[in-house]
Amino acid sequence: MHPPEPESLDGNNDTGNGQTPQQLRLPRTKDVYVNGVVVKVKYCDTCMLYRPPRCSHCSICNNCVERFDHHCPWVGQCIGLRNYRFFYMFVFSTTLLCLYVFGFCWVYIIKIRDAEGSSIWRAMLKTPASMVLIIYCFICVWFVGGLSVFHFYLMSTNQTTFWRSSALLSPLPRTISELGSQ
C-alpha cells in the first residue's frame, strides 16, 4: 500500500508501475545527521521513502527491508533485522538435527552389531533405513552446517549476505563510509 500521491498539474499521474511520477521525484540521496555524524540516505522510488542505512529494497517482496540480508526461498520471505535470529536458529537447529540423526543411526547399528555379535556390515544390512539416513544426513550436514558457519562468520563481522555479495561483485573496495549509503 502506497501513501496518497498528489495529483499532477496536467491531470496525468503516470504511475502505472507503482513508482513516483517524474515531476514529483525527490533527490536520490539526502544527508541526515545521526549523533553528529553525516549519513547519506537513499530514496526508494517504489516504497516512496528515504531508506535508513543498510536498508535495501527486495524486488521479490517489493518492500524495503532494514538490514536486508537476503530473500530466502526456503522460508518464503526476506531475512533482515527483524527475523535474522529466527532464520539463524532455524539453520543451526537443522544442522544439529542432521548431526543427531547421523549419530543415533550409528548408535542403533552398533547396538544391533553388539546384540547379534556380528560384523558392522551385517548390522548395516539389517537396517537399510538407518544407512539411507546416515548417507542423507552426511550430505545435508555439509550444506546446512556450512550455511551455519557462514552466517556465524557474518554475524561476528557485522556483515550481511547482500552487503558481502555486492562487495565481492563491486570493482571498487568498500569502505566504512560507504555503509551509510548502503
Side-chain angles (χ1 to χ4, degrees), residues 108-181:
Y108 183 64
I109 289 172
I110 291 170
K111 280 191 170 225
I112 290 175
R113 182 197 65 184
D114 292 344
E116 295 183 1
S118 61
S119 70
I120 193 86
W121 299 109
R122 286 197 190 270
M124 285 183 198
L125 290 174
K126 290 261 185 199
T127 175
S130 291
M131 288 310 303
V132 169
L133 282 173
I134 285 172
I135 293 167
Y136 178 75
C137 288
F138 180 78
I139 293 169
C140 286
V141 81
W142 291 105
F143 292 108
V144 293
L147 196 58
S148 295
V149 170
F150 175 68
H151 278 280
F152 182 76
Y153 165 75
L154 290 179
M155 286 188 297
S156 63
T157 57
N158 197 23
Q159 296 181 31
T160 63
T161 306
F162 178 75
W163 187 83
R164 184 161 173 78
S165 64
S166 63
L168 292 174
L169 296 175
S170 173
L172 301 174
R174 306 288 301 250
T175 64
I176 298 297
S177 63
E178 285 183 289
L179 284 176
S181 63

Side-chain angles (χ1 to χ4, degrees), residues 12 15 21 24 32 44 50 55 68-69 76 81 84-85 92 98 109 111 134 141 151 154-156 160 173 176 179 181:
N12 183 12
T15 59
L24 298 175
V32 177
C44 179
Y50 280 100
C55 181
F68 178 74
D69 190 80
L81 178 68
Y84 188 80
R85 73 187 116 189
F92 186 69
C98 283
I109 289 172
K111 280 191 170 225
I134 285 172
V141 81
H151 278 280
L154 290 179
M155 286 188 297
S156 63
T160 63
I176 298 297
L179 284 176
S181 63

Side-chain angles (χ1 to χ4, degrees), residues 4 7 10 25 29-30 33 46-47 53 55-56 63 72 89 105-106 135 141 149-151 159-160 163 165 171 179-180:
E7 301 213 5
D10 62 353
R25 295 229 176 195
T29 61
K30 182 166 101 173
Y33 288 93
T46 307
C47 297
C55 181
S56 295
N63 283 336
C72 184
M89 290 310 298
C105 282
W106 277 113
I135 293 167
V141 81
V149 170
F150 175 68
H151 278 280
Q159 296 181 31
T160 63
W163 187 83
S165 64
L179 284 176

